[in-house]
Amino acid sequence: MPSSPKTSYPIVAGLAVSLAALAAIGWAQEAVAPVGNLVVNGDFEQVDAEGNPTNWAVRDWSTRQPGLPPQASGSVQRKGYVGPRCLVLTGQSFPVFFGYFTQPVTVGPRPPERLLLSLWYLTQQSPQADVSVNTFAENFTVAEWGTPVLTSEVLPLDDSPRWRCQTWEIICPPSAQQLVVMVRIHGAGTLRVDGVSLRPLPSEVGCEVLSAGVVTDLSGARECRFRLTNRASKPLELAANLEAGAPRAPRAATSQRLTLPATGTEDVALRYTYPVDTPHRLRLTLTSPQPGDVYFSEEWEVPGLVDGRLVEPAFRSSLLASLPGEEVRVAGRVNATPELRSKITLRALLMGASTAETEAELDSEGRYSLSLSARDMLAGNYGVQLQALVNGRAVGGTTIPVSKQAPREPEVAYDAKLRLHADGKPAFPLGIYYALEPADLAEVSAAGFNAVVLPARTASTATMDRMAALGLWALISSASMEDGFWAHITEKYSDRRELLGWYPLQRPDSTVPPAQPALMADLYGRLSRMDPAHPVCLALGSPSRMADYTGCSDVLMTWTAPRPVGDLRSVDMVIKYGLQLAAGRRPVWPVIQLAGAAYTEDRRLDPTGAGRPPTPEEFRCMVYLSLARGAQGVFCYALTSPSSGTQRAWDVRKDAAPLWEMAKVVAGQVKALSPALLDSEPISIESDVDPAQVAMRGMRYGDYGYIIVANPTAEAVPLRFSLPQTSARELSLGFAEGMVAAGADGAFADTIEPHGVRTYVVRWQ
């Protein structure tokens, strides 16, 4: 939720008291290490005289005409699921914006990286319900909803006529001190909620998953193995629940009751039956024997007997004429126990091509990697057939689609190293949002940027011609979901050499309500068919929802922002999490803020305080964090943006001239580093500095090595490291004067100032 003064959101008369008053009776809590369920009265068994749950507050954000009755209401009623009572929210019409929120939950001063939110709910009609988690770096009880928000993330609750358990893993920003959980409705209908729980991870029960869905028998027997650790000082009774299912496929479930000894560890194997060749989703949930406490919940995509993916071609499994390579490379594993794997032979065939069948060699873990010639393939659709055999009899397998596109100009895609190629030439995209005027385009080109996010409404033949002359690519953006619009725009611009790709709805995971992943996946599929030779790029800004959208684009653009202002650890967190989700299968291009929150999110924020843009040094550090963590491109938001009801007008050249000067310097440095960023080998770095604290990346390019360092913290960090692959005893400072000499033990030492960066250069020996 955007921050706002108290008076902006009327409290339902007679149903809520101010948080300041609640603080006086114990809502404000001392900062202690969080443990167990952090939500007070999550089972709604404690009720006040007006029928509302204690330790919760109610708000109606809806707008209505004076004198008209409220269109939404709530109370605690009977017929709960976890206990006798539950919370009931009812809407009379659409739209409404009504909900209950918890007392502020203290998670600082050292917040857990992740928390597990769980609740039980059912719906009648379609109340358009959701659950929201808001984090704060300040004491929420002082200004209530006027407190600046760090993150505001929303998970829709699908309609369910039966009680259903919903779990959600929350990514907690490193500066969070408190958070608030809200359950809300937006439409006509009823939502019943019970058993709201929020636990730091790992919870009282640690769970290490050892294997998930491994085939143990060719009849379809499978198992999930995991190691449990009781972190409590007393025995703990558990229920381990396993559910498997897939669209238009059978469902399977099994459970087991366990008693973990105090501070004890136990290995568990849950077995279930599922068709050998059917991929499915598998969820493991650890709960108390009776509904209420959820200690662990995780879901995986489980393959059939044979798992495989295309390593090359990496872009949409499609061979393009402009990308080098005449092979199809496949990697995967046989998803079976060692005993069963020992009996299996794996063969591969590129169906429809004139290549011979190949036998894959399995390693001790069942993994394989193989290459198939694509030299004689004509344009069309093919498939890599992987077949598992026992004594010559086929027992399972899978087919991986692959295609070869007819030659066309232009083509923009990425290779197996996730490097962008435009007409066959590798490039490191360094982009900026919203250079809308001819002079703007000339200025960003001169500054060293090579790409611009261009709203479709401003795109024209003249604009594209101008960008071509300046050597700029256009990433054309639009929030439209309509086929007709995208068919027109792709037909008009897909043959332009200056087109980089397509940028649909910005931050669909952060809109209210969020655009559902299925909707974005459908749009991605349509765009891919309309234009098979340009990437679809999607900016995502909700860390706790990001995983749901990673299959909705070719390129993941992680939307970052210092939260609170000046704290770059949150930027580092989102970059790392995006790279983790991409898992080396798609490029990650972080979006780095040039503007402040007063210009991008909430115009009420002080443009010199909580809403200020980053300092020049902060901006430089954020870009270098992207490089040091391994991003394959960087975009900056924004050169300009217009005024609106929620944001101030922005022009970085006028509103933050020193910042723009730094942006030009950094753009020039990134351009100078681009050859190494695109075509280098990794360098081994040995350091005693926590990699979570300081980002470091080593690259060898030709006769030189480059070590990029970025410190996202507000403290100076002593840095000591060695380079075991070279005997060099001296480093020069890239883009600065000075040298760093090795000590007697061969290690290099330096101190990285707050938000500082380094580029060390070494002559390789």
Side-chain angles (χ1 to χ4, degrees), residues 248-424:
R248 297 180 296 279
R251 300 188 67 83
T254 187
S255 63
Q256 182 176 334
R257 294 288 183 92
L258 305 162
T259 299
L260 283 181
T263 64
T265 297
E266 183 175 336
D267 286 357
V268 181
L270 286 184
R271 295 175 176 83
Y272 67 104
T273 301
Y274 213 82
V276 166
D277 267 355
T278 304
H280 55 281
R281 298 185 73 86
L282 185 68
R283 176 172 287 277
L284 172 64
T285 307
L286 303 176
T287 68
S288 55
Q290 300 302 319
D293 293 320
V294 178
Y295 302 112
F296 176 89
S297 183
E298 198 163 324
E299 188 171 89
W300 306 271
E301 294 283 352
V302 174
L305 178 63
V306 179
D307 182 26
R309 71 176 184 92
L310 286 181
V311 176
E312 194 171 2
F315 177 72
R316 294 185 192 162
S317 304
S318 184
L319 290 158
L320 300 178
S322 62
L323 283 177
E326 295 183 333
E327 289 184 329
V328 172
R329 293 197 292 128
V330 183
R333 66 187 176 95
V334 173
N335 183 38
T337 59
E339 182 182 6
L340 183 54
R341 285 200 309 264
S342 66
K343 304 174 184 178
I344 289 175
T345 300
L346 183 64
R347 292 178 181 170
L349 177 67
L350 185 55
M351 296 188 299
S354 57
T355 56
E357 189 175 62
T358 300
E359 185 170 315
E361 182 177 340
L362 304 180
D363 69 9
S364 60
E365 299 296 324
R367 295 184 294 257
Y368 66 89
S369 178
L370 54 87
S371 299
L372 303 169
S373 175
R375 185 172 303 168
D376 299 325
M377 289 174 63
L378 303 176
N381 296 320
Y382 299 82
V384 177
Q385 183 186 67
L386 298 164
Q387 194 171 53
L389 302 99
V390 174
N391 297 326
R393 179 176 66 90
V395 294
T398 189
T399 299
I400 305 172
V402 61
S403 65
K404 183 169 185 177
Q405 298 294 323
R408 57 176 289 171
E409 294 184 359
E411 291 178 339
V412 178
Y414 51 84
D415 62 15
K417 293 184 177 181
L418 307 182
R419 299 175 300 183
L420 185 75
H421 285 251
D423 281 343

Side-chain angles (χ1 to χ4, degrees), residues 59-70:
R59 274 187 181 262
D60 188 354
W61 289 268
S62 309
T63 57
R64 66 177 187 271
Q65 296 297 325
L68 293 180

Side-chain angles (χ1 to χ4, degrees), residues 319-323 405-413 421-425 473 490-500 502 530-534:
L319 290 158
L320 300 178
S322 62
L323 283 177
Q405 298 294 323
R408 57 176 289 171
E409 294 184 359
E411 291 178 339
V412 178
H421 285 251
D423 281 343
K425 298 177 182 178
W473 285 305
T490 54
E491 181 179 4
K492 184 174 182 179
Y493 295 117
S494 62
D495 63 348
R496 301 289 308 224
R497 290 191 178 277
E498 60 277 8
L499 177 68
L500 176 63
W502 309 106
M530 292 176 191
D531 185 357
H534 287 93

Side-chain angles (χ1 to χ4, degrees), residues 41 44-54 76 85:
N41 195 26
F44 306 106
E45 295 304 317
Q46 301 172 33
V47 184
D48 65 19
E50 296 177 331
N52 287 291
T54 60
V76 173
R85 295 178 170 134

Side-chain angles (χ1 to χ4, degrees), residues 71 142 257 308 328 355 432 472 512 550 556 566 576 612 620:
Q71 294 299 298
V142 175
R257 294 288 183 92
V328 172
T355 56
I432 192 167
L472 292 171
V512 179
T550 51
L556 171 59
K576 289 188 293 184
R612 71 165 174 82
R620 179 183 60 187

Side-chain angles (χ1 to χ4, degrees), residues 632-647:
Q632 293 85 21
V634 176
F635 275 69
C636 302
Y637 190 95
L639 183 74
T640 65
S641 62
S643 174
S644 73
T646 59
Q647 64 187 38

